[in-house]
Amino acid sequence: MTTPAAHPSPGDLFDPACPTRQVLDRIGGKWESMLIKVLADAEPGEVRFAELRRRVTGISQKMLSQTLRSLERDGLVRRRVEPTVPPAVHYSLTPLGRSLDGPLAAVRAWAERHITAVVAARAAYDEASPS
Amino acid sequence: MTTPAAHPSPGDLFDPACPTRQVLDRIGGKWESMLIKVLADAEPGEVRFAELRRRVTGISQKMLSQTLRSLERDGLVRRRVEPTVPPAVHYSLTPLGRSLDGPLAAVRAWAERHITAVVAARAAYDEASPS
DNA sequence: CGGAATCCCGGTTGATACTG
DNA sequence: CAGTATCAACCGGGATTCCG
Protein backbone atom coordinates (compact mmCIF):
# COMPACT_ATOMS: atom_id res chain seq x y z
CA MET A 1 0.00 0.00 0.00
CA THR A 2 0.88 1.72 0.02
CA THR A 3 -0.21 2.61 3.14
CA PRO A 4 -0.13 6.18 3.43
CA ALA A 5 -0.08 6.07 7.11
CA ALA A 6 2.82 3.76 7.59
CA HIS A 7 3.79 3.55 11.24
CA PRO A 8 2.87 6.61 13.19
CA SER A 9 3.96 4.97 16.38
CA PRO A 10 5.82 7.44 18.50
CA GLY A 11 9.31 6.45 19.37
CA ASP A 12 9.32 4.21 16.40
CA LEU A 13 12.73 3.54 14.98
CA PHE A 14 11.47 3.87 11.44
CA ASP A 15 10.43 7.44 11.91
CA PRO A 16 13.17 9.79 10.78
CA ALA A 17 12.35 11.99 13.75
CA CYS A 18 12.72 9.05 16.12
CA PRO A 19 14.94 9.66 19.15
CA THR A 20 17.14 6.67 18.52
CA ARG A 21 17.67 7.74 14.99
CA GLN A 22 18.71 11.20 16.04
CA VAL A 23 21.05 9.94 18.70
CA LEU A 24 22.65 7.38 16.44
CA ASP A 25 23.11 9.99 13.79
CA ARG A 26 25.10 11.92 16.32
CA ILE A 27 27.24 9.27 17.96
CA GLY A 28 27.53 7.38 14.72
CA GLY A 29 29.72 10.06 13.25
CA LYS A 30 33.38 9.53 12.84
CA TRP A 31 34.50 11.55 15.85
CA GLU A 32 31.57 12.10 18.18
CA SER A 33 31.96 8.94 20.20
CA MET A 34 35.70 9.34 20.48
CA LEU A 35 35.31 12.83 21.77
CA ILE A 36 32.78 11.70 24.34
CA LYS A 37 35.08 8.99 25.55
CA VAL A 38 38.06 11.28 25.71
CA LEU A 39 36.12 13.83 27.67
CA ALA A 40 34.62 11.16 29.90
CA ASP A 41 38.04 9.75 30.69
CA ALA A 42 39.67 13.12 31.20
CA GLU A 43 40.77 13.36 34.79
CA PRO A 44 40.33 17.04 35.27
CA GLY A 45 37.03 16.87 33.50
CA GLU A 46 38.03 19.75 31.34
CA VAL A 47 40.22 19.56 28.31
CA ARG A 48 41.47 22.33 26.10
CA PHE A 49 41.05 22.46 22.37
CA ALA A 50 44.66 21.81 21.51
CA GLU A 51 44.82 18.99 24.02
CA LEU A 52 41.77 17.34 22.48
CA ARG A 53 43.38 17.67 19.14
CA ARG A 54 46.37 15.84 20.48
CA ARG A 55 44.35 13.11 22.13
CA VAL A 56 42.04 12.42 19.26
CA THR A 57 44.62 11.27 16.80
CA GLY A 58 43.91 12.12 13.25
CA ILE A 59 41.17 14.66 13.71
CA SER A 60 41.44 17.95 11.86
CA GLN A 61 40.82 21.31 13.47
CA LYS A 62 37.76 21.69 11.38
CA MET A 63 36.17 18.46 12.43
CA LEU A 64 37.18 18.98 16.02
CA SER A 65 35.56 22.36 16.34
CA GLN A 66 32.63 21.31 14.24
CA THR A 67 31.98 18.17 16.24
CA LEU A 68 32.50 19.98 19.48
CA ARG A 69 29.95 22.58 18.49
CA SER A 70 27.34 20.05 17.53
CA LEU A 71 27.83 18.25 20.82
CA GLU A 72 27.59 21.53 22.66
CA ARG A 73 24.46 22.38 20.78
CA ASP A 74 22.86 19.17 21.91
CA GLY A 75 23.75 19.81 25.51
CA LEU A 76 26.29 17.03 25.77
CA VAL A 77 29.35 19.19 26.01
CA ARG A 78 30.09 22.40 27.84
CA ARG A 79 32.37 25.04 26.45
CA ARG A 80 34.09 27.38 28.88
CA VAL A 81 36.09 30.30 27.61
CA GLU A 82 38.75 31.95 29.67
CA PRO A 83 38.95 35.55 28.51
CA THR A 84 42.70 35.67 28.54
CA VAL A 85 45.10 36.57 25.81
CA PRO A 86 45.36 34.40 23.97
CA PRO A 87 42.04 32.81 24.80
CA ALA A 88 41.88 29.41 26.48
CA VAL A 89 38.84 27.28 25.80
CA HIS A 90 37.98 24.33 27.99
CA TYR A 91 35.60 21.56 27.06
CA SER A 92 33.89 19.12 29.36
CA LEU A 93 31.00 16.70 29.39
CA THR A 94 27.73 17.91 30.85
CA PRO A 95 25.83 15.52 33.12
CA LEU A 96 23.75 14.65 30.09
CA GLY A 97 26.83 13.92 28.07
CA ARG A 98 28.27 11.86 30.87
CA SER A 99 25.09 9.81 31.04
CA LEU A 100 25.48 8.94 27.40
CA ASP A 101 28.88 7.47 28.07
CA GLY A 102 27.21 4.53 29.80
CA PRO A 103 25.33 3.20 26.79
CA LEU A 104 28.33 4.01 24.69
CA ALA A 105 30.47 1.95 27.03
CA ALA A 106 28.13 -0.98 26.48
CA VAL A 107 28.74 -0.77 22.78
CA ARG A 108 32.46 -0.48 23.37
CA ALA A 109 32.39 -3.54 25.58
CA TRP A 110 30.48 -5.51 22.98
CA ALA A 111 32.93 -4.42 20.34
CA GLU A 112 35.92 -5.54 22.32
CA ARG A 113 34.36 -8.84 23.25
CA HIS A 114 33.12 -9.75 19.80
CA ILE A 115 35.40 -8.05 17.35
CA THR A 116 37.36 -11.21 16.70
CA ALA A 117 34.17 -13.02 15.75
CA VAL A 118 33.25 -10.20 13.42
CA VAL A 119 36.66 -10.15 11.82
CA ALA A 120 36.57 -13.92 11.46
CA ALA A 121 33.13 -13.85 9.87
CA ARG A 122 34.29 -11.16 7.53
CA ALA A 123 37.34 -13.17 6.51
CA ALA A 124 35.26 -16.30 5.99
CA TYR A 125 32.76 -14.38 3.91
CA ASP A 126 35.42 -12.80 1.78
CA GLU A 127 37.13 -16.10 1.26
CA ALA A 128 33.90 -17.69 0.11
CA SER A 129 33.41 -15.17 -2.66
CA PRO A 130 36.73 -13.48 -3.30
CA SER A 131 35.41 -11.78 -6.36
CA MET B 1 48.59 15.45 33.30
CA THR B 2 47.86 16.20 30.70
CA THR B 3 49.07 13.62 29.05
CA PRO B 4 48.95 10.52 27.65
CA ALA B 5 48.56 10.80 24.17
CA ALA B 6 51.23 10.80 21.74
CA HIS B 7 50.84 7.22 20.73
CA PRO B 8 47.82 5.18 19.85
CA SER B 9 47.87 1.83 21.59
CA PRO B 10 45.97 -1.10 20.18
CA GLY B 11 42.49 -1.42 21.55
CA ASP B 12 42.52 2.28 21.95
CA LEU B 13 39.59 4.22 20.67
CA PHE B 14 41.87 6.56 18.82
CA ASP B 15 43.27 3.82 16.69
CA PRO B 16 41.40 3.54 13.39
CA ALA B 17 41.62 -0.24 13.67
CA CYS B 18 40.09 -0.17 17.14
CA PRO B 19 37.16 -2.54 17.69
CA THR B 20 34.83 0.17 18.92
CA ARG B 21 35.59 2.26 15.93
CA GLN B 22 34.80 -0.57 13.57
CA VAL B 23 31.59 -1.45 15.31
CA LEU B 24 30.42 2.14 15.46
CA ASP B 25 31.21 2.57 11.83
CA ARG B 26 28.84 -0.28 11.19
CA ILE B 27 25.92 0.46 13.47
CA GLY B 28 26.38 4.16 13.01
CA GLY B 29 25.19 3.91 9.46
CA LYS B 30 21.83 5.14 8.41
CA TRP B 31 20.12 1.76 8.22
CA GLU B 32 22.22 -0.79 10.07
CA SER B 33 20.75 -0.27 13.49
CA MET B 34 17.22 -0.13 12.18
CA LEU B 35 17.66 -3.39 10.40
CA ILE B 36 19.06 -5.01 13.52
CA LYS B 37 16.15 -3.84 15.56
CA VAL B 38 13.60 -4.93 12.99
CA LEU B 39 15.18 -8.36 12.80
CA ALA B 40 15.51 -8.57 16.55
CA ASP B 41 11.86 -7.71 17.02
CA ALA B 42 10.62 -9.99 14.28
CA GLU B 43 8.53 -12.67 15.89
CA PRO B 44 9.28 -15.45 13.49
CA GLY B 45 12.91 -14.52 13.62
CA GLU B 46 13.04 -14.56 9.87
CA VAL B 47 11.92 -11.79 7.60
CA ARG B 48 11.82 -11.72 3.85
CA PHE B 49 13.43 -9.08 1.71
CA ALA B 50 10.23 -7.43 0.58
CA GLU B 51 8.89 -7.48 4.11
CA LEU B 52 12.02 -5.75 5.41
CA ARG B 53 11.62 -3.18 2.73
CA ARG B 54 8.12 -2.55 3.95
CA ARG B 55 9.13 -2.34 7.60
CA VAL B 56 12.12 -0.10 7.14
CA THR B 57 10.33 2.88 5.76
CA GLY B 58 12.28 4.88 3.28
CA ILE B 59 15.02 2.45 2.48
CA SER B 60 15.79 1.74 -1.16
CA GLN B 61 16.28 -1.74 -2.51
CA LYS B 62 19.88 -0.93 -3.11
CA MET B 63 20.61 0.18 0.41
CA LEU B 64 18.62 -2.68 1.84
CA SER B 65 20.51 -5.35 -0.01
CA GLN B 66 23.77 -3.54 0.47
CA THR B 67 23.29 -3.14 4.20
CA LEU B 68 22.05 -6.66 4.57
CA ARG B 69 25.10 -7.98 2.82
CA SER B 70 27.50 -6.04 4.99
CA LEU B 71 25.75 -7.30 8.10
CA GLU B 72 25.85 -10.82 6.76
CA ARG B 73 29.51 -10.41 5.99
CA ASP B 74 30.21 -9.47 9.57
CA GLY B 75 28.33 -12.47 10.86
CA LEU B 76 25.45 -10.49 12.33
CA VAL B 77 22.80 -11.57 9.88
CA ARG B 78 21.99 -14.88 8.28
CA ARG B 79 20.63 -15.18 4.78
CA ARG B 80 18.57 -18.23 3.90
CA VAL B 81 17.49 -18.82 0.35
CA GLU B 82 14.56 -21.01 -0.53
CA PRO B 83 15.22 -22.35 -4.01
CA THR B 84 11.69 -21.89 -5.20
CA VAL B 85 10.34 -20.00 -8.15
CA PRO B 86 10.28 -17.18 -7.63
CA PRO B 87 13.02 -17.31 -5.00
CA ALA B 88 12.25 -16.49 -1.39
CA VAL B 89 15.04 -15.10 0.75
CA HIS B 90 14.76 -14.99 4.51
CA TYR B 91 16.93 -12.87 6.77
CA SER B 92 17.48 -13.33 10.45
CA LEU B 93 19.85 -12.27 13.20
CA THR B 94 22.62 -14.67 14.12
CA PRO B 95 23.35 -15.18 17.82
CA LEU B 96 26.15 -12.66 17.40
CA GLY B 97 23.78 -10.19 15.85
CA ARG B 98 21.26 -10.77 18.57
CA SER B 99 23.90 -10.11 21.20
CA LEU B 100 24.56 -6.74 19.65
CA ASP B 101 20.95 -5.78 20.09
CA GLY B 102 21.54 -5.50 23.84
CA PRO B 103 24.06 -2.66 23.70
CA LEU B 104 22.03 -1.12 20.95
CA ALA B 105 18.97 -1.26 23.17
CA ALA B 106 20.91 0.64 25.81
CA VAL B 107 21.51 3.41 23.36
CA ARG B 108 17.89 3.34 22.30
CA ALA B 109 16.80 3.58 25.90
CA TRP B 110 19.09 6.52 26.51
CA ALA B 111 17.78 8.19 23.41
CA GLU B 112 14.19 7.85 24.44
CA ARG B 113 14.86 8.97 27.96
CA HIS B 114 16.93 12.01 27.07
CA ILE B 115 15.82 13.11 23.67
CA THR B 116 13.70 15.90 25.09
CA ALA B 117 16.70 17.30 26.92
CA VAL B 118 18.71 17.15 23.74
CA VAL B 119 16.01 18.84 21.73
CA ALA B 120 15.63 21.50 24.40
CA ALA B 121 19.36 22.16 24.49
CA ARG B 122 19.37 22.42 20.77
CA ALA B 123 16.53 24.89 20.76
CA ALA B 124 18.18 26.97 23.47
CA TYR B 125 21.45 26.97 21.59
CA ASP B 126 19.80 27.99 18.36
CA GLU B 127 17.86 30.70 20.04
CA ALA B 128 21.03 32.14 21.48
CA SER B 129 22.53 32.57 18.05
CA PRO B 130 19.67 32.49 15.60
CA SER B 131 21.74 33.39 12.62
C1' DC C 1 45.44 29.87 20.78
C1' DG C 2 40.93 28.70 18.87
C1' DG C 3 38.29 28.67 15.19
C1' DA C 4 35.88 30.34 10.85
C1' DA C 5 35.92 30.26 5.75
C1' DT C 6 37.08 28.18 1.42
C1' DC C 7 38.16 24.70 -1.87
C1' DC C 8 37.87 20.24 -3.22
C1' DC C 9 37.81 15.20 -3.61
C1' DG C 10 35.86 10.68 -2.99
C1' DG C 11 32.66 7.76 -0.95
C1' DT C 12 27.82 7.14 0.00
C1' DT C 13 23.08 7.39 -1.27
C1' DG C 14 19.06 7.64 -4.14
C1' DA C 15 16.31 7.01 -8.75
C1' DT C 16 15.66 4.43 -12.27
C1' DA C 17 16.09 0.53 -15.17
C1' DC C 18 17.23 -4.17 -16.15
C1' DT C 19 17.73 -9.41 -14.97
C1' DG C 20 17.25 -14.31 -13.26
C1' DC D 1 10.50 -11.81 -5.71
C1' DA D 2 15.08 -10.46 -5.02
C1' DG D 3 18.34 -8.49 -6.45
C1' DT D 4 22.25 -5.95 -9.72
C1' DA D 5 23.83 -1.99 -12.80
C1' DT D 6 24.39 2.64 -13.86
C1' DC D 7 24.39 7.44 -13.34
C1' DA D 8 24.14 11.67 -10.87
C1' DA D 9 23.64 14.37 -6.76
C1' DC D 10 25.07 14.92 -2.15
C1' DC D 11 27.88 15.55 1.68
C1' DG D 12 31.38 14.25 5.08
C1' DG D 13 35.59 15.64 5.95
C1' DG D 14 40.74 16.78 4.87
C1' DA D 15 44.06 20.61 3.59
C1' DT D 16 44.85 25.21 3.53
C1' DT D 17 44.36 29.93 4.66
C1' DC D 18 42.77 33.85 7.20
C1' DC D 19 41.00 36.27 11.65
C1' DG D 20 40.20 37.90 16.69
Side-chain angles (χ1 to χ4, degrees), chain A residues 27-31, chain B residues 16 18-30 32:
Chain A
I27 67 172
K30 190 173 181 180
W31 307 108
Chain B
C18 144
T20 304
R21 189 83 171 265
Q22 295 186 57
V23 169
L24 279 169
D25 280 354
R26 176 138 337 290
I27 67 172
K30 191 173 182 182
E32 273 77 354

Side-chain angles (χ1 to χ4, degrees), chain A residues 27-39:
Chain A
I27 67 172
K30 190 173 181 180
W31 307 108
E32 271 77 355
S33 61
M34 297 175 70
L35 238 12
I36 291 176
K37 185 186 191 314
V38 169
L39 288 171

Side-chain angles (χ1 to χ4, degrees), chain A residues 75-131:
Chain A
L76 301 172
V77 161
R78 190 175 82 111
R79 179 173 184 266
R80 186 173 68 82
V81 181
E82 259 178 63
T84 59
V85 174
V89 185
H90 302 260
Y91 292 91
S92 58
L93 242 37
T94 62
L96 184 63
R98 208 165 292 119
S99 74
L100 177 55
D101 189 51
L104 228 38
V107 173
R108 264 183 244 129
W110 186 93
E112 282 167 29
R113 189 176 305 113
H114 301 285
I115 189 63
T116 54
V118 170
V119 170
R122 201 176 290 172
Y125 185 97
D126 291 348
E127 190 184 350
S129 51
S131 76

Side-chain angles (χ1 to χ4, degrees), chain B residues 30-31 61-63 87:
Chain B
K30 191 173 182 182
W31 306 109
Q61 338 66 314
K62 190 177 90 172
M63 288 317 297

Side-chain angles (χ1 to χ4, degrees), chain A residues 7-73:
Chain A
H7 291 265
S9 343
D12 212 345
L13 192 53
F14 320 144
D15 181 355
C18 145
T20 305
R21 187 84 172 263
Q22 295 185 60
V23 169
L24 278 169
D25 279 353
R26 178 142 328 292
I27 67 172
K30 190 173 181 180
W31 307 108
E32 271 77 355
S33 61
M34 297 175 70
L35 238 12
I36 291 176
K37 185 186 191 314
V38 169
L39 288 171
D41 290 350
E43 287 315 324
E46 286 192 328
V47 185
R48 295 186 55 176
F49 190 88
E51 180 58 25
L52 282 174
R53 193 130 101 86
R54 236 166 288 130
R55 296 195 194 182
V56 181
T57 310
I59 195 170
S60 64
Q61 339 64 311
K62 189 179 95 171
M63 289 317 297
L64 180 55
S65 92
Q66 190 173 299
T67 304
L68 243 16
R69 222 180 318 120
S70 73
L71 290 173
E72 186 198 359
R73 188 170 99 105

